[in-house]
Amino acid sequence: MSVSRAEVESEVRGVLDDMIEEWGEELDEPIGMETKLVEDVGFASIDFVQFAVAIEERFNAKLGFQQLLIQDGQYVQDLSVSSVLDFVEDRLNNPSKVNPDAPVEAPVPGEARLTQVDEAERVDAEKFAAFRGLIRPRSPRAADTTPKNPPVVFVLSPPRSGSTLMRVMLAGNPSLFAPPELHLLAYSDMAERHAALQNEHNNHLLEGTIRAMMQLKGLEGEAAREFAARCEAEAMPVKHFYKLLQEPLNGRLLVDKTPTYLLDKDILERAEMDFDNALYIHLQRHPLGTIRSYEESKLTRLMPLIQQSAFNTRQLAEMTWLHSHSNALAFAETIPDERWISVRYEDIVQQPDVAMRRLCAFLGIDFHPDMTNPYAEKEQRMTDGVDTASKMSGDIKFHLHQGIDPGAASRWEQFYSVDILGEPTRDMARQLGYDT
Ligand code: A3P
């Protein structure tokens, strides 16, 4: 059955409108056929990914977008709306042109490799102290005398460490329940959480708990949203909400991977207050891999406070990495060795089998081969989001990969040399065992 041009146009426009609305931005000119995605709409590389994933979802078909988006190893800079429509219409009506096995070639940098930065730009102790001052302290919690919850597994990492991939791999093990980012521990109760996250920048972070409820209770999205709204209306303590997630698991371990927990040591301490023998996976990635990924993801768009700071995106990424790992190491000092494990993203993508077996031994569960096949099954792994995969809280790039990509470990080397890192960052990298 052929798909008409009008149908393609309406869906593609719908995706663009949703994205622009989500950014809370107004365009100078309405979108027309000659509108250019980079120049006129302000697309960054991560936006191409979201755009492609959302269009494929609307038509429920893989279209091989990388052949349109990446040419001569770079994102096409002058792509217009009409060329996207031509491509989508052609692929939908000629599915044999789509090669699902074509490798996703990461674009090579158009810019020169950065090997030096001015001393004034480099992260140092003074800048780091100013950055730490930007992070708002948590509001204190009321004393709680209720018994602790059963054990839980926390995956602790700065953003852009490969935590979505790791979560989805863990979710392949039947002894674990690993939903998308839960964003619970930072709050006292569900009302406080709702008030903090229900805004244009963060409301997708409310989705992980809803997706988890859908899975556990067999609910549709709408019913799970209503359930969550009831918990928020009665200001249910977060600890109680965790219990609702843990009770139906029949001995399976709940995994909570939420990168923002490392931003504040008070949040980490709550894990010890609320759970009996919690287990911690400290996920690490080379600072420059994390920094490059952070820059490409435009994460600062979601953080207005940080956006207004005097730091550039690279400095923010570097200090987020440094701050998160400093907190992790300080917290690790207070945790018995048998409840803490450090794992590297580089090892996960280069030796997934070894890395997952090591994690299973730590968690006291049997290894399962589905763990190393993260794209195999969507529902159990909850990679589909409440409404759409492009809204899954976590890394949208996960959907552009088709398997575990070992080359992703060293991609940053095309962009940066370690000489650009500040001294405190290099110290931390050395402590984590990275060669600087
Ligand atoms: P890059 O932006 O360097 O590609 P997080 O989930 O913690 O935000 O981490 C995101 C990083 O994990 C991104 O790094 C993303 O590409 C990478 N990632 C996601 N799925 C992957 C896969 N299948 N293989 C390798 N890396 C993957």
Side-chain angles (χ1 to χ4, degrees), residues 56 61-65 67 87 90-92 94-102:
E56 288 183 343
K62 282 273 174 204
L63 302 176
F65 258 108
Q67 279 149 308
F87 175 83
D90 180 51
R91 289 301 162 101
L92 286 170
N94 301 287
S96 61
K97 287 190 183 172
V98 181
N99 174 7
D101 299 326

PDB file of all heavy atoms in Angstrom, residues 56 61-65 67 87 90-92 94-102:
ATOM      1  N   GLU A  56      10.302   7.493  12.417  1.00  0.00           N
ATOM      2  CA  GLU A  56      10.227   6.032  12.250  1.00  0.00           C
ATOM      3  C   GLU A  56       9.100   5.453  13.109  1.00  0.00           C
ATOM      4  O   GLU A  56       8.396   4.534  12.703  1.00  0.00           O
ATOM      5  CB  GLU A  56      11.565   5.384  12.622  1.00  0.00           C
ATOM      6  CG  GLU A  56      12.632   5.677  11.574  1.00  0.00           C
ATOM      7  CD  GLU A  56      13.965   5.000  11.855  1.00  0.00           C
ATOM      8  OE1 GLU A  56      14.186   4.575  13.004  1.00  0.00           O
ATOM      9  OE2 GLU A  56      14.779   4.901  10.912  1.00  0.00           O
ATOM     10  N   ALA A  61       8.235   2.035  10.997  1.00  0.00           N
ATOM     11  CA  ALA A  61       9.137   1.403  10.030  1.00  0.00           C
ATOM     12  C   ALA A  61      10.535   1.973  10.192  1.00  0.00           C
ATOM     13  O   ALA A  61      10.691   3.165  10.484  1.00  0.00           O
ATOM     14  CB  ALA A  61       8.659   1.702   8.602  1.00  0.00           C
ATOM     15  N   LYS A  62      11.533   1.111  10.040  1.00  0.00           N
ATOM     16  CA  LYS A  62      12.924   1.575  10.015  1.00  0.00           C
ATOM     17  C   LYS A  62      13.205   2.127   8.620  1.00  0.00           C
ATOM     18  O   LYS A  62      12.889   1.470   7.616  1.00  0.00           O
ATOM     19  CB  LYS A  62      13.877   0.416  10.312  1.00  0.00           C
ATOM     20  CG  LYS A  62      13.928   0.080  11.790  1.00  0.00           C
ATOM     21  CD  LYS A  62      14.963   0.959  12.480  1.00  0.00           C
ATOM     22  CE  LYS A  62      14.959   0.773  13.978  1.00  0.00           C
ATOM     23  NZ  LYS A  62      15.489   1.934  14.696  1.00  0.00           N
ATOM     24  N   LEU A  63      13.739   3.332   8.515  1.00  0.00           N
ATOM     25  CA  LEU A  63      13.914   3.951   7.199  1.00  0.00           C
ATOM     26  C   LEU A  63      15.380   4.127   6.800  1.00  0.00           C
ATOM     27  O   LEU A  63      15.663   4.576   5.691  1.00  0.00           O
ATOM     28  CB  LEU A  63      13.198   5.316   7.175  1.00  0.00           C
ATOM     29  CG  LEU A  63      11.692   5.272   7.477  1.00  0.00           C
ATOM     30  CD1 LEU A  63      11.100   6.671   7.514  1.00  0.00           C
ATOM     31  CD2 LEU A  63      10.953   4.438   6.437  1.00  0.00           C
ATOM     32  N   GLY A  64      16.300   3.783   7.697  1.00  0.00           N
ATOM     33  CA  GLY A  64      17.726   3.932   7.348  1.00  0.00           C
ATOM     34  C   GLY A  64      18.124   5.390   7.243  1.00  0.00           C
ATOM     35  O   GLY A  64      18.817   5.812   6.315  1.00  0.00           O
ATOM     36  N   PHE A  65      17.704   6.203   8.216  1.00  0.00           N
ATOM     37  CA  PHE A  65      17.895   7.649   8.167  1.00  0.00           C
ATOM     38  C   PHE A  65      19.349   8.087   8.054  1.00  0.00           C
ATOM     39  O   PHE A  65      19.643   9.158   7.541  1.00  0.00           O
ATOM     40  CB  PHE A  65      17.302   8.299   9.425  1.00  0.00           C
ATOM     41  CG  PHE A  65      15.976   8.935   9.166  1.00  0.00           C
ATOM     42  CD1 PHE A  65      14.812   8.374   9.641  1.00  0.00           C
ATOM     43  CD2 PHE A  65      15.909  10.119   8.451  1.00  0.00           C
ATOM     44  CE1 PHE A  65      13.588   8.972   9.399  1.00  0.00           C
ATOM     45  CE2 PHE A  65      14.684  10.723   8.211  1.00  0.00           C
ATOM     46  CZ  PHE A  65      13.529  10.145   8.682  1.00  0.00           C
ATOM     47  N   GLN A  67      21.489   7.308   6.147  1.00  0.00           N
ATOM     48  CA  GLN A  67      21.922   7.568   4.762  1.00  0.00           C
ATOM     49  C   GLN A  67      21.518   8.970   4.289  1.00  0.00           C
ATOM     50  O   GLN A  67      22.136   9.546   3.413  1.00  0.00           O
ATOM     51  CB  GLN A  67      21.354   6.506   3.827  1.00  0.00           C
ATOM     52  CG  GLN A  67      22.207   5.251   3.894  1.00  0.00           C
ATOM     53  CD  GLN A  67      21.391   4.009   3.655  1.00  0.00           C
ATOM     54  OE1 GLN A  67      20.360   3.798   4.297  1.00  0.00           O
ATOM     55  NE2 GLN A  67      21.847   3.201   2.738  1.00  0.00           N
ATOM     56  N   PHE A  87      12.795  11.909   0.951  1.00  0.00           N
ATOM     57  CA  PHE A  87      13.449  10.689   1.435  1.00  0.00           C
ATOM     58  C   PHE A  87      12.426   9.755   2.097  1.00  0.00           C
ATOM     59  O   PHE A  87      12.357   8.554   1.800  1.00  0.00           O
ATOM     60  CB  PHE A  87      14.548  11.082   2.440  1.00  0.00           C
ATOM     61  CG  PHE A  87      15.210   9.908   3.096  1.00  0.00           C
ATOM     62  CD1 PHE A  87      16.247   9.236   2.460  1.00  0.00           C
ATOM     63  CD2 PHE A  87      14.790   9.461   4.347  1.00  0.00           C
ATOM     64  CE1 PHE A  87      16.860   8.140   3.064  1.00  0.00           C
ATOM     65  CE2 PHE A  87      15.396   8.365   4.956  1.00  0.00           C
ATOM     66  CZ  PHE A  87      16.428   7.710   4.305  1.00  0.00           C
ATOM     67  N   ASP A  90      10.028   8.224  -0.408  1.00  0.00           N
ATOM     68  CA  ASP A  90      10.716   7.224  -1.229  1.00  0.00           C
ATOM     69  C   ASP A  90      10.942   5.923  -0.438  1.00  0.00           C
ATOM     70  O   ASP A  90      10.658   4.825  -0.912  1.00  0.00           O
ATOM     71  CB  ASP A  90      12.051   7.825  -1.688  1.00  0.00           C
ATOM     72  CG  ASP A  90      12.820   6.855  -2.548  1.00  0.00           C
ATOM     73  OD1 ASP A  90      12.223   6.341  -3.509  1.00  0.00           O
ATOM     74  OD2 ASP A  90      14.010   6.597  -2.263  1.00  0.00           O
ATOM     75  N   ARG A  91      11.417   6.047   0.787  1.00  0.00           N
ATOM     76  CA  ARG A  91      11.718   4.842   1.572  1.00  0.00           C
ATOM     77  C   ARG A  91      10.456   4.066   1.952  1.00  0.00           C
ATOM     78  O   ARG A  91      10.449   2.842   1.987  1.00  0.00           O
ATOM     79  CB  ARG A  91      12.484   5.207   2.854  1.00  0.00           C
ATOM     80  CG  ARG A  91      13.893   5.650   2.582  1.00  0.00           C
ATOM     81  CD  ARG A  91      14.608   4.531   1.873  1.00  0.00           C
ATOM     82  NE  ARG A  91      15.808   4.971   1.208  1.00  0.00           N
ATOM     83  CZ  ARG A  91      17.037   4.808   1.688  1.00  0.00           C
ATOM     84  NH1 ARG A  91      17.197   4.243   2.852  1.00  0.00           N
ATOM     85  NH2 ARG A  91      18.074   5.202   1.012  1.00  0.00           N
ATOM     86  N   LEU A  92       9.389   4.822   2.263  1.00  0.00           N
ATOM     87  CA  LEU A  92       8.153   4.119   2.651  1.00  0.00           C
ATOM     88  C   LEU A  92       7.581   3.348   1.467  1.00  0.00           C
ATOM     89  O   LEU A  92       7.039   2.251   1.625  1.00  0.00           O
ATOM     90  CB  LEU A  92       7.117   5.120   3.171  1.00  0.00           C
ATOM     91  CG  LEU A  92       7.382   5.678   4.570  1.00  0.00           C
ATOM     92  CD1 LEU A  92       6.442   6.832   4.877  1.00  0.00           C
ATOM     93  CD2 LEU A  92       7.222   4.585   5.626  1.00  0.00           C
ATOM     94  N   ASN A  94       9.378   2.322  -1.167  1.00  0.00           N
ATOM     95  CA  ASN A  94      10.364   1.385  -1.728  1.00  0.00           C
ATOM     96  C   ASN A  94      11.170   0.762  -0.587  1.00  0.00           C
ATOM     97  O   ASN A  94      12.370   1.035  -0.447  1.00  0.00           O
ATOM     98  CB  ASN A  94      11.330   2.111  -2.679  1.00  0.00           C
ATOM     99  CG  ASN A  94      10.581   2.778  -3.815  1.00  0.00           C
ATOM    100  OD1 ASN A  94      10.086   2.116  -4.718  1.00  0.00           O
ATOM    101  ND2 ASN A  94      10.475   4.099  -3.740  1.00  0.00           N
ATOM    102  N   PRO A  95      10.516  -0.046   0.245  1.00  0.00           N
ATOM    103  CA  PRO A  95      11.209  -0.538   1.442  1.00  0.00           C
ATOM    104  C   PRO A  95      12.467  -1.349   1.127  1.00  0.00           C
ATOM    105  O   PRO A  95      13.356  -1.453   1.964  1.00  0.00           O
ATOM    106  CB  PRO A  95      10.162  -1.413   2.147  1.00  0.00           C
ATOM    107  CG  PRO A  95       8.982  -1.462   1.245  1.00  0.00           C
ATOM    108  CD  PRO A  95       9.132  -0.489   0.141  1.00  0.00           C
ATOM    109  N   SER A  96      12.583  -1.854  -0.109  1.00  0.00           N
ATOM    110  CA  SER A  96      13.776  -2.655  -0.404  1.00  0.00           C
ATOM    111  C   SER A  96      15.041  -1.790  -0.405  1.00  0.00           C
ATOM    112  O   SER A  96      16.150  -2.299  -0.307  1.00  0.00           O
ATOM    113  CB  SER A  96      13.621  -3.335  -1.766  1.00  0.00           C
ATOM    114  OG  SER A  96      13.484  -2.332  -2.740  1.00  0.00           O
ATOM    115  N   LYS A  97      14.860  -0.458  -0.495  1.00  0.00           N
ATOM    116  CA  LYS A  97      16.042   0.414  -0.470  1.00  0.00           C
ATOM    117  C   LYS A  97      16.642   0.544   0.933  1.00  0.00           C
ATOM    118  O   LYS A  97      17.749   1.037   1.094  1.00  0.00           O
ATOM    119  CB  LYS A  97      15.672   1.824  -0.954  1.00  0.00           C
ATOM    120  CG  LYS A  97      15.421   1.920  -2.440  1.00  0.00           C
ATOM    121  CD  LYS A  97      15.310   3.392  -2.804  1.00  0.00           C
ATOM    122  CE  LYS A  97      14.980   3.559  -4.274  1.00  0.00           C
ATOM    123  NZ  LYS A  97      14.678   4.955  -4.595  1.00  0.00           N
ATOM    124  N   VAL A  98      15.847   0.153   1.947  1.00  0.00           N
ATOM    125  CA  VAL A  98      16.336   0.298   3.323  1.00  0.00           C
ATOM    126  C   VAL A  98      17.223  -0.884   3.634  1.00  0.00           C
ATOM    127  O   VAL A  98      16.810  -2.028   3.480  1.00  0.00           O
ATOM    128  CB  VAL A  98      15.156   0.342   4.329  1.00  0.00           C
ATOM    129  CG1 VAL A  98      15.676   0.508   5.752  1.00  0.00           C
ATOM    130  CG2 VAL A  98      14.183   1.448   3.961  1.00  0.00           C
ATOM    131  N   ASN A  99      18.437  -0.606   4.044  1.00  0.00           N
ATOM    132  CA  ASN A  99      19.337  -1.690   4.425  1.00  0.00           C
ATOM    133  C   ASN A  99      19.487  -1.687   5.945  1.00  0.00           C
ATOM    134  O   ASN A  99      20.260  -0.905   6.498  1.00  0.00           O
ATOM    135  CB  ASN A  99      20.698  -1.477   3.752  1.00  0.00           C
ATOM    136  CG  ASN A  99      21.707  -2.501   4.234  1.00  0.00           C
ATOM    137  OD1 ASN A  99      21.359  -3.425   4.964  1.00  0.00           O
ATOM    138  ND2 ASN A  99      22.948  -2.327   3.811  1.00  0.00           N
ATOM    139  N   PRO A 100      18.732  -2.578   6.616  1.00  0.00           N
ATOM    140  CA  PRO A 100      18.752  -2.516   8.074  1.00  0.00           C
ATOM    141  C   PRO A 100      20.117  -2.875   8.648  1.00  0.00           C
ATOM    142  O   PRO A 100      20.414  -2.567   9.785  1.00  0.00           O
ATOM    143  CB  PRO A 100      17.698  -3.545   8.497  1.00  0.00           C
ATOM    144  CG  PRO A 100      17.533  -4.449   7.321  1.00  0.00           C
ATOM    145  CD  PRO A 100      17.919  -3.676   6.106  1.00  0.00           C
ATOM    146  N   ASP A 101      20.960  -3.533   7.844  1.00  0.00           N
ATOM    147  CA  ASP A 101      22.263  -3.944   8.381  1.00  0.00           C
ATOM    148  C   ASP A 101      23.355  -2.908   8.153  1.00  0.00           C
ATOM    149  O   ASP A 101      24.492  -3.097   8.560  1.00  0.00           O
ATOM    150  CB  ASP A 101      22.695  -5.278   7.760  1.00  0.00           C
ATOM    151  CG  ASP A 101      21.687  -6.363   8.093  1.00  0.00           C
ATOM    152  OD1 ASP A 101      21.135  -6.293   9.211  1.00  0.00           O
ATOM    153  OD2 ASP A 101      21.427  -7.228   7.242  1.00  0.00           O
ATOM    154  N   ALA A 102      22.989  -1.795   7.447  1.00  0.00           N
ATOM    155  CA  ALA A 102      24.023  -0.776   7.215  1.00  0.00           C
ATOM    156  C   ALA A 102      24.517  -0.270   8.564  1.00  0.00           C
ATOM    157  O   ALA A 102      23.716   0.062   9.433  1.00  0.00           O
ATOM    158  CB  ALA A 102      23.434   0.375   6.403  1.00  0.00           C
TER     159      ALA A 102
END
